[in-house]
Amino acid sequence: PRLVYISSGAVYGDKRQYPCKSSDTVVANDIYSRAKLINEDIVLASGGAVARLANVYGEGMAASNVISDIIAQIPAADSLKVRDETPIRDYLHVNDLVQALEKFASSDYCGIINIATGVGTSVRRVAEIALSAAGQAGRQIVSSGSMKRAVSTNILDITEANSVLGWVPKIGLVDGLTELV
């Protein structure tokens, strides 16, 4: 049997301004990341593989993520509120994830591969795309977060996903969010 463990790109931390490669140093600065890395080690030692995922969105996504928070405020007339508009993340549509995992599970690759888009998008831009898709492009976006610190960034390099699995994402964020809205 083939085991592909679903991990997270969060293990790279959020301080790099470039797409993280699977070979980059990881940062276990919270219980979530520590648990992911421990499980990765167990799976890899057993001959399995690891898929480190970007921020997955789409039908069936968690109700408590930034995209869900934004969509829950549509339609409305008042300002759209986000906690912090500055973080930059790599958003992956769930249908692209399924395609990548099918290819990964049927491959014989043992190692770590990032499954993402390789494209970073700010929370503000996500809100703008969602509002535009809803025909509310004129609505104000209000951020309660501080913009006086370094921008939190987490983007994943997908070179290995392409070269090893022959996979690239097909659903862009504009199309994916428009479908959700």
Side-chain angles (χ1 to χ4, degrees):
R2 175 100 169 116
L3 176 65
V4 176
Y5 175 67
I6 304 300
S7 191
S8 171
V11 301
Y12 299 114
D14 67 346
K15 304 297 183 231
R16 296 181 179 112
Q17 301 302 308
Y18 58 87
C20 299
K21 296 179 181 297
S22 62
S23 60
D24 284 348
T25 305
V26 291
V27 181
N29 57 3
D30 59 23
I31 190 72
Y32 177 78
S33 295
R34 283 192 297 273
K36 287 291 187 185
L37 292 171
I38 289 168
N39 289 332
E40 284 184 12
D41 288 343
I42 292 168
V43 169
L44 292 169
S46 301
V50 173
R52 287 186 181 154
L53 307 185
N55 294 50
V56 179
Y57 74 96
E59 189 174 334
M61 70 183 166
S64 60
N65 65 37
V66 69
I67 291 178
S68 295
D69 290 348
I70 289 168
I71 290 175
Q73 297 178 66
I74 298 173
D78 58 340
S79 298
L80 188 138
K81 295 171 181 64
V82 295
R83 282 175 264 170
D84 188 345
E85 66 184 9
T86 62
I88 296 171
R89 295 293 181 268
D90 190 329
Y91 296 97
L92 176 68
H93 194 277
V94 67
N95 291 350
D96 281 333
L97 170 60
V98 169
Q99 296 296 316
L101 290 177
E102 286 176 346
K103 287 182 173 277
F104 204 174
S106 63
S107 78
D108 59 359
Y109 184 79
C110 293
I112 301 168
I113 292 182
N114 292 329
I115 307 296
T117 65
V119 177
T121 306
S122 71
V123 171
R124 171 171 273 289
R125 182 67 185 131
V126 170
E128 290 169 349
I129 293 168
L131 287 173
S132 178
Q136 297 186 329
R139 264 178 80 191
Q140 182 180 17
I141 300 167
V142 177
S143 174
S144 59
S146 169
M147 293 190 268
K148 294 183 179 173
R149 59 179 166 26
V151 175
S152 169
T153 303
N154 185 274
I155 306 165
L156 308 185
D157 183 294
I158 62 169
T159 303
E160 288 175 323
N162 181 268
S163 64
V164 173
L165 305 177
W167 174 85
V168 292
K170 294 183 175 117
I171 302 171
L173 189 57
V174 172
D175 291 338
L177 287 177
T178 299
E179 171 191 302
L180 276 177
V181 171

